Amino acid sequence: MSLGRKDFDSDHEYLVCCMARDIYKRRNKDQMIPSGKYTWGRWFVKKFGLDYEAYIHELSNRARERSA
């Protein structure tokens, strides 16, 4: 089961989740962001101050707990 808006305390938290999902979908196709300056993971860290892989793991655990 995926997480929706109601599973987050703020719009910002939901935005971060949506960006993480979007990056996850295309991270294998396009390793670099369109400008070619960074990888998507590094962009996520610069934009949100969170480690991308750790955040995806946290989201996965949160969704798993919610569906149990």
Side-chain angles (χ1 to χ4, degrees):
M1 176 175 272
S2 65
L3 299 170
R5 171 61 187 100
K6 65 181 185 276
D7 297 307
F8 296 91
D9 296 331
S10 69
D11 289 338
H12 183 270
E13 286 182 32
Y14 185 58
L15 171 72
V16 174
C17 173
C18 290
M19 287 306 305
R21 285 180 184 164
D22 189 52
I23 290 169
Y24 191 82
K25 290 178 203 172
R26 58 185 154 146
R27 69 188 172 122
N28 292 329
K29 287 188 263 177
D30 306 321
Q31 284 294 321
M32 303 297 279
I33 62 173
S35 70
K37 289 174 119 178
Y38 311 109
T39 64
W40 281 107
R42 184 165 167 101
W43 175 87
F44 192 85
V45 170
K46 290 183 77 54
K47 182 74 173 173
F48 300 112
L50 302 168
D51 178 65
Y52 176 73
E53 295 296 328
Y55 186 75
I56 288 294
H57 184 69
E58 177 188 330
L59 276 183
S60 177
N61 287 342
R62 191 185 226 183
R64 197 174 304 118
E65 288 172 6
R66 185 174 181 273
S67 65

